[in-house]
Amino acid sequence: MSRPDVVDHDPVPDRIHAVPVPRPGRWISAVVLLVLAVMAVHGLVTNENFRWDVVWLYLRDVVVIRGVGWTLVLTFGSMVIAIVLAVALAVMRRSDNPVMRSVSWGYIWFFRGTPIYTQLVFWGLLAVLYPRLSLGIPFGPEFFEFRTQDVITAFWAAMLGLALNEAAYLAEIVRAGLGSVDTGQTEAAKALGMKDSKILTRVVLPQAMRVIVPPTGNETISMLKTTSLVLAVPFTLDLTYATGAIGNRTFLPIPLLIVAALWYLLITSILMVGQHYVERYYGRGFGDQSAGARRRGPGGRGGRRKPNRQDLIAASGTTKDDPFMEVTP
Amino acid sequence: MSTTAPTGGPTDRPVDLSTSRPMVEVRGLHKMFGDLHVLKGVDLEVPRGSVCVVLGPSGSGKSTLLRCVNELEEITGGRVVVDGELMGYREVERNGRTRLHRLHPRVVARQRSRIGMVFQRFNLFPHMTALENVMERRCRCAG
């Protein structure tokens, strides 16, 4: 069998090599935009006031790097807590039990309805408002007692404040995701004899993830920046506070703000890459990005990624490309 | 109504082909959606090993009947017995009076797992492969 690249004569005898329609507007607009972009970058780089030497110096400062670490810990820690809480809240919201439903509604109402800054201040004041915490029977005897300031440190106050606020937003995202899954899926799972918990974790949630993941990635990126508000607690080790403190001490606030901005940009860029892969994983079976990947087949585009099981099945050639085509009217 | 009304027995036993007991038995089945009376006393007996066709115009309740057999719809009245087992309820005799107790969702799930069903719109699980769709009942639900 001859491959197309081995053939030296054109199999199409009268191949068309047409001149494309001239589009001067495209060229002009592209040039104008490029010039503007170059001017913007040039103005940024050559402006002495930005003190790029100071930016470069403090970009690698140990206090700044530590600030990046704390910001990351706060971002991911609070997101993990928030996601777990949000799934619970969303399931409660769909429950048949009216008490569950209203508690979930009330939580979302309160934590979405008050500013995050105010909430963080209150979490910081927890030790003043409730000097001691104890474990025991409600309205009955107490077994353990803690001083609040020993348990809820500034770090945990910041983390909990961010997480509880975020959970309210994520709960609505998860609820929308669960609602997006066709009810027929639940029925089919029921007909198979699955328990309710299994229907949720094995059938509904995996499909809801397709809807849940993109806005959750968005929320993670947003959370990265929201951590800059933890000075309300006050928690003073995160990136914004650390760079701000250096800026005030050295009387160079602008370059230090740029340092913080560059770090936030870098982390956001990394998160965007991660989000792309998570989205592709949960998009499987819905013919969006994964369908394109399947058509290329494993090893297509130079074997850019490890082929998944579905790709291997498709590549074996024993199944049709779209198994639904033939049977769905 | 028969006197030997079956109660929620063991559900994991294999299908018994030796008896002449009907596979599916529906007696006086009523189903109402709010004020809409869809099934008005349906009686149906499907013998073991037979193929049965339910034929009727759109909206006559064919799907509803099937869904009632599988307990996907809570029935309003009557009895559904599959392979000698009352679906969805347990009959409890007290003071000479029979009352129905709703079965725990876990038990209902086990009853359903013994009944195969193909939906009008198939409802395949799109996030799984064809093979995983086929294996789902055997691996995850039977146990």
Side-chain angles (χ1 to χ4, degrees):
Chain A
M1 202 173 108
S2 65
R3 289 166 49 126
D5 52 324
V6 186
V7 176
D8 49 358
H9 67 275
D10 195 339
V12 181
D14 190 15
R15 187 181 288 273
I16 297 172
H17 296 284
V19 179
V21 177
R23 299 197 186 275
R26 277 190 189 176
W27 283 99
I28 294 168
S29 53
V31 168
V32 168
L33 275 179
L34 266 177
V35 169
L36 285 176
V38 169
M39 278 169 72
V41 173
H42 181 259
L44 209 62
V45 174
T46 55
N47 191 335
E48 296 282 314
N49 294 332
F50 286 131
R51 296 294 305 274
W52 290 102
D53 53 326
V54 181
V55 171
W56 180 240
L57 182 70
Y58 281 105
L59 205 54
R60 303 156 297 157
D61 189 85
V62 68
V63 178
V64 173
I65 304 277
R66 212 177 287 152
V68 170
W70 280 110
T71 291
L72 285 176
V73 168
L74 279 175
T75 304
F76 288 110
S78 54
M79 279 311 280
V80 167
I81 299 174
I83 287 169
V84 172
L85 209 57
V87 173
L89 282 167
V91 172
M92 280 167 72
R93 196 72 206 279
R94 291 160 57 92
S95 158
D96 292 331
N97 186 337
V99 177
M100 293 268 216
R101 271 206 310 273
S102 15
V103 166
S104 171
W105 184 90
Y107 180 97
I108 294 168
W109 170 76
F110 181 79
F111 280 92
R112 273 204 316 181
T114 52
I116 172 75
Y117 194 88
T118 314
Q119 286 174 29
L120 285 170
V121 170
F122 269 96
W123 279 100
L125 290 176
L126 197 70
V128 181
L129 297 168
Y130 299 95
R132 50 180 207 88
L133 298 173
S134 62
L135 216 66
I137 297 165
F139 308 108
E142 294 166 358
F143 303 136
F144 300 104
E145 192 182 293
F146 314 98
R147 286 201 312 158
T148 307
Q149 60 188 35
D150 298 337
V151 184
I152 311 288
T153 57
F155 170 73
W156 282 106
M159 179 95 107
L160 285 175
L162 292 171
L164 295 191
N165 178 266
E166 186 59 35
Y169 287 92
L170 283 177
E172 290 293 281
I173 291 172
V174 174
R175 189 169 69 96
L178 295 179
S180 75
V181 180
D182 189 57
T183 47
Q185 293 287 311
T186 310
E187 283 184 350
K190 264 190 189 170
L192 281 172
M194 287 194 198
K195 287 178 293 182
D196 284 354
S197 57
K198 190 150 274 172
I199 294 175
L200 180 73
T201 55
R202 193 157 166 81
V203 175
V204 178
L205 257 185
Q207 295 181 57
M209 289 301 271
R210 190 175 61 98
V211 174
I212 293 171
V213 164
T216 302
N218 206 26
E219 290 290 315
T220 310
I221 288 169
S222 170
M223 172 64 87
L224 178 72
K225 271 72 60 69
T226 308
T227 55
S228 61
L229 293 179
V230 292
L231 83 142
V233 171
F235 181 76
T236 55
L237 294 170
D238 76 295
L239 180 57
T240 296
Y241 198 94
T243 50
I246 299 172
N248 288 341
R249 201 178 61 227
T250 54
F251 300 108
L252 291 165
I254 299 289
L256 267 301
L257 281 174
I258 296 175
V259 167
L262 286 176
W263 270 111
Y264 283 122
L265 260 179
L266 177 71
I267 301 166
T268 303
S269 314
I270 296 169
L271 287 177
M272 282 167 74
V273 174
Q275 186 186 3
H276 169 76
Y277 283 100
V278 177
E279 270 175 36
R280 193 164 67 178
Y281 176 78
Y282 282 110
R284 82 212 130 110
F286 286 91
D288 35 9
Q289 308 100 319
S290 56
R294 201 179 308 157
R295 221 163 291 128
R296 279 203 310 273
R301 288 245 183 115
R304 213 156 45 105
R305 67 194 183 91
K306 212 172 131 227
N308 63 27
R309 207 148 35 119
Q310 185 69 65
D311 285 340
L312 292 172
I313 292 169
S316 71
T318 54
T319 54
K320 295 198 183 327
D321 272 352
D322 187 352
F324 297 98
M325 275 302 276
E326 211 159 296
V327 287
T328 309
Chain B
M1 203 182 120
S2 99
T3 46
T4 55
T7 52
T11 44
D12 288 333
R13 68 202 144 86
V15 174
D16 182 8
L17 290 168
S18 61
T19 79
S20 58
R21 190 173 54 211
M23 198 64 223
V24 177
E25 228 184 318
V26 176
R27 292 189 301 257
L29 176 63
H30 284 262
K31 174 64 193 173
M32 294 184 79
F33 292 105
D35 287 337
L36 185 65
H37 206 158
V38 179
L39 302 178
K40 299 164 185 164
V42 176
D43 290 295
L44 170 74
E45 203 175 288
V46 181
R48 202 163 290 268
S50 70
V51 176
C52 174
V53 175
V54 181
L55 196 64
S58 299
S60 61
K62 306 179 297 291
S63 301
T64 305
L65 174 63
L66 290 183
R67 292 163 63 84
C68 285
V69 169
N70 207 358
E71 272 296 306
L72 283 174
E73 299 287 355
E74 203 167 313
I75 59 178
T76 317
R79 299 282 189 278
V80 175
V81 179
V82 176
D83 195 18
E85 193 177 320
L86 183 64
M87 292 294 290
Y89 299 92
R90 187 160 48 91
E91 285 185 327
V92 176
E93 203 126 356
R94 189 177 291 166
N95 308 329
R97 224 158 53 87
T98 326
R99 282 206 64 183
L100 286 183
H101 288 219
R102 193 95 178 96
L103 286 177
H104 191 276
R106 216 175 23 239
V107 184
V108 177
R110 223 180 308 138
Q111 289 186 328
R112 285 199 192 106
S113 75
R114 288 172 41 85
I115 302 174
M117 182 161 183
V118 177
F119 286 83
Q120 236 153 355
R121 278 163 56 226
F122 302 110
N123 294 335
L124 292 165
F125 299 133
H127 59 301
M128 300 180 192
T129 63
L131 188 61
E132 283 168 337
N133 264 285
V134 176
M135 294 193 307
E136 191 58 25
R137 192 207 93 85
R138 284 257 54 93
C139 302
R140 299 282 168 176
C141 310

